[in-house]
Amino acid sequence: MSANLVPPAALPVLDLPATALAPVPGGVGDADAPRTYLVRTLGCQMNVHDSERMAGMLEQAGYRKATDADAARYEADVVVINTCAVRENASTKLYGNLGQLAALKNRREGMQIAVGGCLAQKDRSGIVDRAPWVDVVFGTHNLDALPVLLERARHNEAAQVEIAESLQVFPSTLPTRRESVYAGWVSISVGCNNTCTFCIVPHLRGKERDRRPGQILAEIEALVAEGAIEVTLLGQNVNSYGVEFGDRGAFAKLLRACGEIDGLERVRFTSPHPAAFTDDVIDAMAQTPNVMPQLHMPLQAGSDRILRAMRRSYRSDKFLGILDRVRAVMPDAAITTDLIVGFPGETEEDFAETLRVVEASRFASAFTFQYSQRPGTPAATLPDQLPKEVVQERYVRLMALQDAISAQESARQVGRTVEVLITDGAGRKDGATHRLTGRAADNRLVHLALPAHLTSTLGRDDVAGGDRSGGDLPDAVAAGDPRLADRLDDQLPRPGDVVTVQVTHSAPYHLVADSALSAGPAQAVYAVRRTRSGDAWVQREKARAGLGEEEHSHGTQPSPVPGAPVELGLPTIRRA
């Protein structure tokens, strides 16, 4: 299985600013105001999506998301940390940040701290033993219990620890507060049936449970109806989807069914397992126009001996064969991977095999990790654990190779015309232009320049303003973001719109498209296509700016899903 790790820059940082430890005037504030919440996520895409569900449940129970300014200072009545247990430093990072939150809690009357996710499932009551100021601990199988546990902790004035041993409510039936109006995560399964010796996730997430195709497609259709044009199908091993209900071809069929959804422009998925990756999935990817030319395929190691010790039921030749077949039908596909350096017993010859396979694979990028012992995994007790300095030296060599390959693969994109889905937030900027940021069809990060008349007449904050993921808007938007104007410049894109540009420069892990500023024929390679997602973004931002439109919930109250239980609602909070 794959850890499905999100690039670190995409995740919130838990380190608290010094200003967060200053006394908070007035404690929790107005007794009649809703209590505020803040969810911070560590780990994988599955955790990110779980955090959206936590936020949805809290809002249904009457909480209000903390403003961006308050969130930066951790000034919220409830702080939820959604943890990861994949890496060795996960525990150190959690308890270090809990120590900082303790100081803040002492200064904020009524504040509550909750810890959920994989590390909570693993450590259980040990979290409260080490950090007695934590109010709630809940696991991966009972996300739905969070509002009840918070209320019970307030009423009883005692920590509440509730860890279920098996899934209580399928997470996808829970209310969800989605952070994006143009793209959404959709879980097709939870849990994992693999037994990789380095991984603790199957122990913490349980056996694989598959959703029925009709439920998945209904959720996607609801997202599209609300403005989304991109979805990412999530599972610990997506291409084993369907085994539970006896259809081993179900994942390929699901991809093809996504191609029939009107208005859905981009479909992605993560992560497949090479052992279960079949040609029918490759055919479905190539023959379904809205399935993107992108594949995240975890390699982990290039040595067959190490793959065997990892209990990865494929070998390097099979892995490379899959990549060859994918590229035969999708020559421009961007392929990424996960790699582990320093697995117990790894010799220099084994490591050389990893370098060989990486060189042959031509990955666009790789999430590369130094092996760390995880208590509870078979690999933690294997002999021949490698010295840290050996692992570090090999890690540096592997990163140097992958950096060089990524630079070469990015350079091949220069001169190509790409369609970029604009994302929220600022892009890279230099002295001549203020760029916007988005993703190409193959998921490469693209920083693009606006035409000169826009960059010369609009301020930086107007065009590429700060984080608008929730809470109060920056002053620039409240004062009049040009992207919210009734009469919008045809060449000014909004988040969710698609811009056609030509790639002019490259770096190992991003592309630059300044074709809007180029002299000559390249000037024509800039076009903005308005989308329903862009319209939905405007609706949401106007609501946040108090301009009289109801905020776009994008899944806070999900449409009924066939076969889902009747929702009886969650308890609402009350003031002490």
Side-chain angles (χ1 to χ4, degrees):
M1 56 134 290
S2 165
N4 292 346
L5 291 175
V6 176
L11 294 175
V13 177
L14 277 176
D15 294 333
L16 301 182
T19 54
L21 301 182
V24 178
V28 295
D30 185 350
D32 295 326
R35 283 169 61 81
T36 60
Y37 75 90
L38 170 64
V39 181
R40 286 296 188 240
T41 311
L42 301 173
C44 64
Q45 289 99 328
M46 195 71 73
N47 271 18
V48 173
H49 193 23
D50 283 349
S51 291
E52 291 183 332
R53 296 182 181 117
M54 294 174 195
M57 288 184 294
L58 291 172
E59 293 199 359
Q60 188 182 76
Y63 293 81
R64 177 175 57 82
K65 185 173 182 179
T67 67
D68 290 344
D70 285 347
R73 297 188 295 269
Y74 280 71
E75 292 184 10
D77 300 319
V78 173
V79 175
V80 183
I81 303 178
N82 188 11
T83 63
C84 174
V86 172
R87 308 307 304 158
E88 183 179 26
N89 65 355
S91 178
T92 302
K93 188 168 187 177
L94 169 66
Y95 290 109
N97 284 283
L98 287 178
Q100 292 180 291
L101 285 173
L104 178 57
K105 185 176 181 180
N106 287 337
R107 293 163 171 82
R108 187 178 184 89
E109 180 185 354
M111 179 180 175
Q112 290 181 291
I113 301 170
V115 179
C118 289
L119 198 60
Q121 187 78 24
K122 173 179 172 292
D123 286 2
R124 305 180 178 230
S125 59
I127 291 176
V128 175
D129 293 340
R130 291 184 59 177
W133 54 91
V134 170
D135 299 277
V136 169
V137 178
F138 62 105
T140 58
H141 298 311
N142 61 327
L143 301 182
D144 57 303
L146 175 59
V148 175
L149 295 174
L150 286 167
E151 181 64 10
R152 191 186 301 164
R154 278 163 47 81
H155 180 271
N156 296 347
E157 297 183 346
Q160 302 296 307
V161 179
E162 187 171 297
I163 305 294
E165 298 302 327
S166 60
L167 198 64
Q168 303 300 295
V169 176
F170 208 99
S172 294
T173 65
L174 299 173
T176 305
R177 189 194 197 281
R178 297 184 185 270
E179 293 296 340
S180 169
V181 296
Y182 44 82
W185 311 103
V186 175
S187 291
I188 68 172
S189 63
V190 295
C192 183
N193 293 337
N194 294 314
T195 58
C196 304
T197 56
F198 57 81
C199 185
I200 198 169
V201 170
H203 173 67
L204 301 178
R205 291 275 183 179
K207 291 292 185 181
E208 183 175 319
R209 295 276 306 277
D210 293 333
R211 298 175 69 193
R212 300 297 297 189
Q215 295 175 333
I216 297 167
L217 294 172
E219 182 178 349
I220 295 173
E221 288 170 351
L223 282 172
V224 171
E226 292 183 342
I229 60 174
E230 175 177 306
V231 297
T232 300
L233 306 177
L234 287 181
Q236 300 295 341
N237 179 7
V238 291
N239 52 345
S240 68
Y241 171 73
V243 171
E244 186 182 20
F245 52 83
D247 185 354
R248 292 186 177 274
F251 185 58
K253 294 175 185 176
L254 182 63
L255 291 178
R256 293 183 186 275
C258 287
E260 300 299 319
I261 297 177
D262 188 36
L264 179 60
E265 298 187 14
R266 296 185 173 194
V267 178
R268 307 186 191 279
F269 59 87
T270 191
S271 283
H273 192 296
F277 205 89
T278 51
D279 287 347
D280 63 336
V281 172
I282 297 174
D283 292 340
M285 292 175 65
Q287 296 165 9
T288 308
N290 63 358
V291 175
M292 294 293 95
Q294 174 217 348
L295 177 64
H296 184 77
M297 178 71 78
L299 170 62
Q300 307 300 6
S303 162
D304 290 349
R305 190 180 74 83
I306 295 300
L307 288 171
R308 191 176 298 110
M310 289 178 167
R311 291 185 195 157
R312 302 284 290 179
S313 48
Y314 58 88
R315 300 297 173 254
S316 59
D317 284 348
K318 177 173 183 175
F319 184 92
L320 291 171
I322 293 171
L323 302 196
D324 288 342
R325 293 196 299 277
V326 168
R327 286 178 170 137
V329 293
M330 291 177 287
D332 296 327
I335 299 175
T336 58
T337 197
D338 297 335
L339 297 165
I340 296 174
V341 179
F343 189 81
E346 180 188 78
T347 64
E348 182 61 29
E349 290 74 20
D350 293 322
F351 179 66
E353 279 295 286
T354 294
L355 296 179
R356 178 188 67 82
V357 176
V358 167
E359 177 69 53
S361 297
R362 310 301 298 174
F363 297 119
S365 65
F367 297 117
T368 305
F369 308 97
Q370 298 184 35
Y371 170 78
S372 59
Q373 289 178 280
R374 305 304 295 131
T377 63
T381 60
L382 289 177
D384 300 323
Q385 302 283 332
L386 271 61
K388 174 68 175 177
E389 58 273 16
V390 172
V391 178
Q392 174 66 25
E393 189 273 337
R394 290 177 183 172
Y395 176 81
V396 170
R397 275 193 282 157
L398 178 57
M399 286 296 296
L401 173 61
Q402 184 56 54
D403 286 348
I405 293 172
S406 295
Q408 294 163 7
E409 292 300 305
S410 285
R412 293 178 59 234
Q413 309 304 310
V414 174
R416 291 187 177 180
T417 298
V418 296
E419 287 193 338
V420 180
L421 174 59
I422 300 299
T423 56
D424 219 345
R428 292 177 61 90
K429 297 176 282 289
D430 59 22
T433 183
H434 306 302
R435 297 187 179 99
L436 298 184
T437 296
R439 294 280 177 177
D442 62 8
N443 211 36
R444 282 186 167 92
L445 188 67
V446 181
H447 305 294
L448 60 92
L450 294 172
H453 75 277
L454 291 175
T455 57
S456 63
T457 60
L458 297 178
R460 177 181 61 194
D461 292 335
D462 293 331
V463 179
D467 179 17
R468 292 172 175 78
S469 60
D472 288 346
L473 287 171
D475 291 342
V477 174
D481 187 327
R483 295 172 299 179
L484 305 183
D486 291 335
R487 292 187 176 182
L488 189 65
D489 188 297
D490 290 341
Q491 293 187 311
L492 178 60
R494 309 159 300 180
D497 287 338
V498 175
V499 182
T500 300
V501 288
Q502 186 178 70
V503 178
T504 56
H505 306 83
S506 69
Y509 300 108
H510 71 263
L511 305 175
V512 175
D514 283 351
S515 57
L517 302 175
S518 301
Q523 282 183 309
V525 189
Y526 181 90
V528 174
R529 177 166 60 85
R530 302 287 178 218
T531 69
R532 294 174 302 101
S533 292
D535 296 341
W537 180 87
V538 168
Q539 180 183 351
R540 184 189 71 180
E541 299 301 276
K542 284 185 174 180
R544 290 179 176 178
L547 300 180
E549 295 188 30
E550 182 179 353
E551 181 169 349
H552 196 279
S553 65
H554 203 46
T556 300
Q557 301 291 340
S559 302
V561 176
V566 176
E567 187 171 306
L568 300 179
L570 297 171
T572 57
I573 61 171
R574 62 179 184 271
R575 305 299 295 181

